Amino acid sequence: MRRAIHVSLVVALLLAFGLSAAAQDPADYQRPVDVAPTDEVIGEGYVTPEVQRPRSLAPWRQVLDMALLGGALLLAAWIVLKRRSRRLAFALTVVCLAYFGFYREGCICPIGSIQNVAVALADPNHAVPYFVIGIFMLPLLAALFFGRVFCGGVCALGAIQELVLLKPIQVPPRLDRALGSLKWLYLVAAVALAVLPAAGRDFIICRFDPFVGFFRFTGPVHMMLIGGAFLLLGLFVGRPYCRYLCPYGALLSLTSRLSWRGVSITPDRELDCGLCNKACPYGAIEEMRAVRTSCLACARCYESCPVHLSCRGADAEAAS
Amino acid sequence: MTQVAAPLEYRLAGTLGAGDFDHALRGLAMVSVMHVVAPTEPTPFNLLHAVGDSRVAVYGRERQVRSWPTSKDGYSVAVDDTVWVGEAGQIEIFDPLGRLIDTWRDDDLLGLVTAIGITRESVFVADAAARCIRHFDRERNLLNNIGDRHRKGGFDIPNGVVDFVLGRGRGRGSRWVVHVANPGMHRVERYTPDGELLGRFGRFDGVDPEGFPGCCNPTNVTLTSSGRVVVTEKAPPRVKIYDSEGQLLTVVAADEAFDPAAKNMDVATGFMDRIYVADTAGRQICVFERTEKQS
Amino acid sequence: MSRLTRREMLGHAARGAALVGMGGVTAYLTVKAHDTYAWEIDPNKCINSQLGALGVEICDACATDCVLPLSAVRAVNHYPECGRCYICPAYFEIKSAVGPDGLPSEKLCPRDAIERKAIGWIDPDDPANNFYEYVIDESLCNGCGRCVMACKEPAGLGSIRLEVRHDVCLDCNRCSISTACPEDAYERREPAA
């Protein structure tokens, strides 16, 4: 024991003299521990307190967040597909904005997780936590069954745009389609930059995240400017980020193409009045049918429907 | 008192041993050449012994005159007519030409030997592992410890080194006095060989050079021929001289003379009150001489 | 729902295929997945704790660059390595004038986050005779690194280091401190046990 102490003291002193500092394991910042007084020396029953280690990641928090995300997705699906209530959808949007956006500071974010997942798939030495897998997969799964309910009810980035949309104008369909292809480019660019070798890796989705600066009430200037621009534009153009840039929106439009259920304008009750078409700020209703790939499940169309009351609670089975 | 003290001023006269040590330079000791039974190499100058890495290097006035390896890293050196090298768990004793005479091993009593003092009757060994000074007779029987009665269980050495120097007490036939640096308490303490505290001086001050700055200073201590106390400090490195009552006499050198990372700079004094300081980070020995004004 | 139409059949098949695909990706990721990767500071790279980096400016990027209002980085005193010094250079501004109590008159921490108290048996007459414990208040510290630099070798024992508080850290992909860190001391890895 004494011998061990001596040896470690020698090692410590060597370090103290500036030796081999560079050759250490990064976690290992060995200091001359043995010159520090021990509990016995300090006396009077003194016990060295526990080092204030950074508390480990709180797993319950992540489980809670994942459960809330899943719950919110199911709730959104129920509200939009079953209850068909714009009011409830709106309320859910506000709650999700408050929690996932402002309270969790925009970091329950499937959009950014694309990059992490891409890196984990491409780089054998990299992995993502279970939590991120869940965050990435849950909305896609939801879209496979219920359409883009994540966009409509849960996504904080969508929600903040949803709230500022005051005077929606219809974007000409051709322009809408052209701009809509931008998100694919963005997705490809983000994945390509993320899977670069570690040194050159760049997470552009996070770097140019338009709204996270607002959620945190602080952020780089460029972020705030981009966010401000999107919000200004969003006063008139419904959810410009979601429709034209969001790379996760691109993925969701892919899986929602196959979705089991989706927002539907009930064919046997429709009036061909076109009010729903006008009410849709996202250009997602074509020929009186909601286009699943671009429908953001906001439930505005139901609200505008003159037979809304009868629509509500209509058997979705009959609808599809 | 008619005696007018000559101004005590020092200048950096040169360096020794630059490049001789690859990893560490730790201990210094002087020997007056008259002690040295070395007929093959008569030299008119005092010899400075330095230990570091795993070797002893002996310097004349300007250059290395010999060097030999030790079995472990040396932390301290003392010289009478033999050369004692303090290491972890042992002291190696060499003749003046570097031939090993004896190895004194004792894991318990010689934990980490960071200073050695030799008299005709006794051997004093600073054990940094036990944070005290061991007082042995020449037969290596432990007589007593110095400093272990301290409330802090020994000298307070966050710097990891106990350094002391032997001086003569006042008056004829007086006993040896052990001057010890107690850096954590910012003091230099004087003990009898029996371990009785005779006196102490020093206080903390980060601004006034009279005080000792930082967490733990002074780290090393030696005496001049006239009994003045030379101390070295770390962070930033500095060398100062006090009289035996603790009055600051002069600052020999401040940080610009040394590598700023130097700490536990061992110090030795020689002929004409020359001061040798081991720059432990720069791994060379700085030599300071008194500037002789008209005296 | 008596018979499936051809269209529904195709739909089910496509959905099933998509599910299988997503399940495959999930399985692959799950096999690799870890629980604890997080941003960590390498103390040998951080200029505030790096041995030999003397006379350099204190880097306070950890305090200023975090996206959180109070940075997720804290100074942590590793007690077993702490010298319990009477005059702690990380607690006191040791260059300030000495007060009547023999102690420096100013503290180093700009947020007064360090608490000093005598421990063990207390000498009523000689405060230099005591050991002192230095506790950093997590709720006040913002990771500015001043104490880290002051405690480092050769001035101190280097028992204080900057560490990421994983319960506070948002674990941003583009950790803004890591991009600002001049020494590339940030790394996403398994935290030390």
Side-chain angles (χ1 to χ4, degrees), chain B residues 10 51-52 74 79 81 90-91 115 154 163-164 181-182 187 212 245 248 253 260 278:
Chain B
Y10 277 84
V51 293
V79 189
D81 48 2
Q90 66 181 34
I91 292 174
D163 194 37
F164 72 91
N182 194 354
R187 284 169 191 165
F212 298 116
E245 301 306 311
L248 178 67

Side-chain angles (χ1 to χ4, degrees), chain B residues 86-132:
Chain B
E87 297 159 9
Q90 66 181 34
I91 292 174
E92 284 186 296
I93 302 163
F94 300 90
D95 77 4
L97 294 178
R99 288 174 292 228
L100 184 65
I101 299 172
D102 194 9
T103 302
W104 174 8
R105 286 198 189 86
D106 194 325
D107 278 342
D108 290 331
L109 298 180
L110 306 177
L112 183 70
V113 179
T114 56
I116 305 172
I118 315 162
T119 71
R120 204 181 301 275
E121 313 84 36
S122 314
V123 180
F124 295 87
V125 176
D127 179 359
R131 302 192 292 130
C132 69

Side-chain angles (χ1 to χ4, degrees), chain B residues 131 150-153 156 158-159 184-187 200 203-207 213-216 234-236 259-263, chain C residues 54 83 85-89 94-98 102-104 119-123 126 128-131 153-157:
Chain B
R131 302 192 292 130
H150 219 283
R151 132 82 183 120
K152 289 189 172 178
D156 193 10
N159 56 319
M185 297 179 72
H186 302 91
R187 284 169 191 165
R200 63 186 192 200
R203 61 185 166 82
F204 167 82
D205 201 309
V207 191
C215 75
C216 29
K234 69 179 174 77
D259 187 306
K263 76 173 216 175
Chain C
L54 295 169
C85 300
Y86 168 51
I87 306 284
C88 172
I94 53 170
K95 291 287 177 198
S96 63
V98 173
L103 299 173
I119 49 174
W121 180 82
I122 314 268
D123 186 330
D126 186 359
N129 215 1
N130 299 324
F131 290 111
E153 286 276 338
L157 290 179

Side-chain angles (χ1 to χ4, degrees), chain A residues 105-213:
Chain A
E105 304 192 304
C107 253
I108 312 293
C109 181
I111 307 175
S113 75
I114 294 171
Q115 304 158 119
N116 305 53
V117 168
V119 174
L121 289 176
D123 182 346
N125 298 321
H126 202 281
V128 288
Y130 301 108
F131 176 58
V132 170
I133 303 172
I135 292 292
F136 177 75
M137 283 296 177
L138 280 179
L140 289 178
L141 201 62
L144 200 56
F145 286 93
F146 308 117
R148 296 173 66 173
V149 287
F150 172 71
C151 304
V154 186
C155 178
L157 280 75
I160 194 171
Q161 295 174 84
E162 183 76 42
L163 293 191
V164 297
L165 181 56
L166 289 180
K167 262 204 131 17
I169 55 166
Q170 298 282 354
V171 180
R174 206 173 272 205
L175 179 62
D176 189 47
R177 216 163 295 145
L179 287 173
S181 58
L182 280 179
K183 59 178 180 267
W184 291 96
L185 287 178
Y186 194 33
L187 174 66
V188 169
V191 170
L193 285 170
V195 299
L196 286 177
R201 200 167 278 167
D202 197 354
F203 288 153
I204 54 168
I205 299 177
C206 299
R207 188 206 283 242
F208 298 109
D209 186 314
F211 304 122
V212 77

Side-chain angles (χ1 to χ4, degrees), chain B residues 140-157:
Chain B
R140 302 178 187 174
N141 301 309
L142 181 67
L143 301 178
N144 60 278
N145 292 327
I146 301 172
D148 66 346
R149 274 172 260 173
H150 219 283
R151 132 82 183 120
K152 289 189 172 178
F155 299 106
D156 193 10
I157 49 161

Side-chain angles (χ1 to χ4, degrees), chain A residues 61-119:
Chain A
R61 185 95 208 217
Q62 301 192 338
V63 171
L64 175 71
D65 279 339
M66 209 129 90
L68 284 176
L69 178 66
L73 287 168
L74 285 177
L75 190 60
W78 180 75
I79 289 171
V80 173
L81 304 186
K82 239 8 195 178
R83 280 294 305 271
R84 303 187 160 206
S85 161
R86 167 68 187 154
R87 205 176 303 168
L88 282 178
F90 186 80
L92 181 64
T93 300
V94 171
V95 170
C96 286
L97 175 63
Y99 183 78
F100 293 115
F102 289 99
Y103 181 65
R104 299 295 286 134
E105 304 192 304
C107 253
I108 312 293
C109 181
I111 307 175
S113 75
I114 294 171
Q115 304 158 119
N116 305 53
V117 168
V119 174

